[in-house]
């Protein structure tokens, strides 16, 4: 899968994941400058099932240090 990540504002240590599924993305824990887009990849062989794009969007999670207060 090819996943596009975008932030309008600076995002520190972006972490991408899938809800309740362990997998490795091509990149993780990265910074995004404001107005920046980053492409990351997820190998389908890393997953227990093949997901449609809609299903993948529903279980995709993210967090950043910006979320901490």
């Amino acid at each position: 899968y090819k996943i596009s990540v975008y932030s309008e504002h600076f995002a520190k240590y972006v972490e991408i994941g899938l809800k309740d599924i362990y997998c490795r993305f091509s990149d993780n824990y990265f910074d995004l400058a404001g107005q920046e887009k980053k492409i990351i990849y997820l190998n389908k062989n890393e997953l227990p099932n093949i997901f449609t794009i809609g299903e993948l969007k529903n279980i995709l999670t993210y967090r950043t240090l910006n979320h901490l207060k």
Side-chain angles (χ1 to χ4, degrees):
Y1 297 98
K2 180 179 176 181
I3 301 166
S4 177
V5 182
Y6 173 81
S7 178
E8 287 190 21
H9 305 284
F10 176 74
K12 184 75 172 166
Y13 295 128
V14 178
E15 176 191 33
I16 304 296
L18 295 179
K19 185 187 278 186
D20 299 325
I21 298 174
Y22 173 79
C23 59
R24 290 179 293 177
F25 293 86
S26 61
D27 196 0
N28 223 340
Y29 304 101
F30 51 85
D31 295 344
L32 280 176
Q35 306 292 314
E36 181 183 5
K37 180 170 85 170
K38 182 173 183 70
I39 302 296
I40 59 172
Y41 297 91
L42 174 60
N43 187 331
K44 291 179 182 178
N45 295 329
E46 290 273 330
L47 302 174
N49 301 313
I50 298 298
F51 296 98
T52 66
I53 297 300
E55 291 170 330
L56 194 64
K57 284 181 179 180
N58 286 335
I59 61 173
L60 194 66
T61 63
Y62 74 94
R63 64 182 177 175
T64 72
L65 283 185
N66 301 43
H67 288 108
L68 301 176
K69 296 188 181 208

